[in-house]
Amino acid sequence: MNVAQLDPIPETQELPVFSETAIKTARVIVVANQKGGVGKTTTAVNLAACLGQENRKSLLIDMDPQGNATSGSGIEKHSIERTVFDALIEQEPLRELMLPGISENVFVVPSNQDLVGAEVHLTRDPNGPHRLKKAVQRFLKRSSDFDYVIIDCPPSLGMLTINSLIAGESVLIPVQAEYYALEGMADLLRSVSIIRRQHNPELVLEGFLITMYDSRLSLSRQVEIELRKAYGAHVFNSVVSRSVRLSEAPSHGLPIICYDAKSKGALAYQSLAQELIRHETESPRTWPFGHTL
Ligand code: ADP
Ligand code: MG
């Protein structure tokens, strides 16, 4: 199933109701782009770590069966028995599945190959698209000390990404500063618009993040110019450069602020975390694309 095949929820169908106050305690940010290799996982792991460093308690949820956010957080994905699968399918509380991350402020709900099987279950269940939302709402109701939930999506617009976008309050879109960077963007924005219209009207755009920027390449500069021209203030000021240190960090199971605290990558993700923290108090984010996509 993909977004285009998603049926609107019938009005008569009962959805779980949780109190609004409980939902508003944390910000739920979905890192999404159906393209692979654009920096979603790198962004999700490092953003959670940098928010933690800023004293914001963060839960990172790995929604990709590849489990890269799990291993990149130092968790051995093949040896874990319980994953986000158990939250989606067995309705186990996220609180019981989360593992300590790199600091006292960061926790991770892990994933591994088991999650591949969830897609089929979720597609068969009329409430399937809402399973993660229900789990996150239940978590936040009992864990009001958390400030952020960061969700790392797989590289597709399938049921796991749909669940993530329905659970989210905002979507953060990493864009690789390369040729074809904007290819597929219209599909992604259209899909988010469909999900907003049918399931989650409050979902807003957190921003576009330029990743793997290489200042020596005119192509990188060109992509940045085009993106800022097209999306203006919705593009983060922080730009993540291409950096070997950033690509090495996951193999050590560490976020960049622990692997090489002074590197450009560490500074970029710290700067991104600070921009997000400013969003907490600045004018509220919007969805700037209307319903016309
Ligand atoms: P996605 O989750 O979108 O598939 P990843 O975050 O896994 O993308 O990144 C893809 C690959 O590129 C990984 O090997 C990662 O370590 C590497 N990578 C990500 N960001 C950077 C960067 N800024 N500089 C260099 N390598 C990067
Ligand atoms: Mg990934």
Side-chain angles (χ1 to χ4, degrees):
M1 181 189 249
N2 61 35
V3 177
Q5 296 163 309
L6 197 59
D7 291 327
I9 296 242
E11 278 179 19
T12 50
Q13 192 171 321
E14 232 177 79
L15 284 174
V17 178
F18 294 92
S19 89
E20 276 292 305
T21 48
I23 299 163
K24 292 298 173 199
T25 51
R27 307 207 50 218
V28 184
I29 301 177
V30 183
V31 183
N33 189 330
Q34 78 278 27
K35 276 195 182 188
V38 299
K40 287 182 291 299
T41 300
T42 305
T43 298
V45 167
N46 288 299
L47 185 57
C50 291
L51 286 167
Q53 193 180 41
E54 295 284 341
N55 231 357
R56 300 297 197 279
K57 199 164 177 180
S58 300
L59 180 69
L60 171 62
I61 303 179
D62 190 349
M63 281 291 277
D64 187 347
Q66 291 180 74
N68 292 342
T70 301
S71 52
S73 301
I75 298 162
E76 175 43 69
K77 63 185 172 196
H78 300 296
S79 63
I80 40 172
E81 286 184 0
R82 298 197 312 160
T83 67
V84 70
F85 177 95
D86 297 273
L88 296 170
I89 305 303
E90 308 295 343
Q91 304 193 33
E92 288 197 29
L94 292 172
R95 184 124 201 150
E96 286 173 25
L97 300 171
M98 72 184 191
L99 301 169
I102 52 102
S103 79
E104 60 184 21
N105 282 333
V106 182
F107 292 81
V108 182
V109 176
S111 155
N112 61 21
Q113 280 295 324
D114 295 350
L115 196 53
V116 174
E119 191 111 24
V120 180
H121 286 269
L122 294 172
T123 303
R124 286 195 194 128
D125 174 1
N127 275 327
H130 289 259
R131 290 291 188 96
L132 184 62
K133 181 182 179 120
K134 191 175 164 191
V136 169
Q137 287 186 344
R138 191 193 289 168
F139 172 79
L140 293 178
K141 199 173 179 192
R142 289 194 44 210
S143 312
S144 53
D145 51 332
F146 275 77
D147 300 293
Y148 284 90
V149 176
I150 309 288
I151 304 175
D152 184 31
C153 289
S156 74
L157 290 171
M159 191 46 114
L160 296 168
T161 297
I162 291 171
N163 254 272
S164 304
L165 289 169
I166 291 176
E169 272 176 35
S170 68
V171 57
L172 189 161
I173 304 176
V175 181
Q176 191 179 351
E178 299 251 321
Y179 202 55
Y180 296 133
L182 297 181
E183 194 194 63
M185 189 58 74
D187 281 344
L188 175 61
L189 298 178
R190 200 176 300 115
S191 299
V192 179
S193 289
I194 292 170
I195 285 174
R196 287 188 82 248
R197 200 164 54 231
Q198 299 185 348
H199 295 271
N200 187 7
E202 293 186 356
L203 183 65
V204 294
L205 178 66
E206 194 68 50
F208 295 94
L209 174 68
I210 299 169
T211 62
M212 303 190 214
Y213 184 86
D214 188 337
S215 57
R216 296 165 303 180
L217 299 180
S218 63
L219 184 59
S220 270
R221 293 198 299 274
Q222 202 57 41
V223 169
E224 178 173 14
I225 288 167
E226 272 183 37
L227 204 63
R228 293 199 188 278
K229 201 157 75 187
Y231 302 124
H234 296 286
V235 183
F236 286 105
N237 294 325
S238 313
V239 171
V240 183
S241 295
R242 185 171 282 286
S243 123
V244 176
R245 303 300 272 166
L246 262 178
S247 63
E248 288 170 348
S251 62
H252 298 266
L254 291 173
I256 191 68
I257 49 169
C258 299
Y259 181 62
D260 188 347
K262 297 212 160 34
S263 64
K264 271 181 91 172
L267 299 180
Y269 279 111
Q270 282 168 326
S271 157
L272 176 67
Q274 282 154 13
E275 275 194 71
L276 278 176
I277 287 169
R278 284 200 293 277
H279 287 181
E280 290 171 5
T281 49
E282 280 173 4
S283 56
R285 306 271 90 195
T286 59
W287 180 251
F289 306 109
H291 294 305
T292 52
L293 280 155

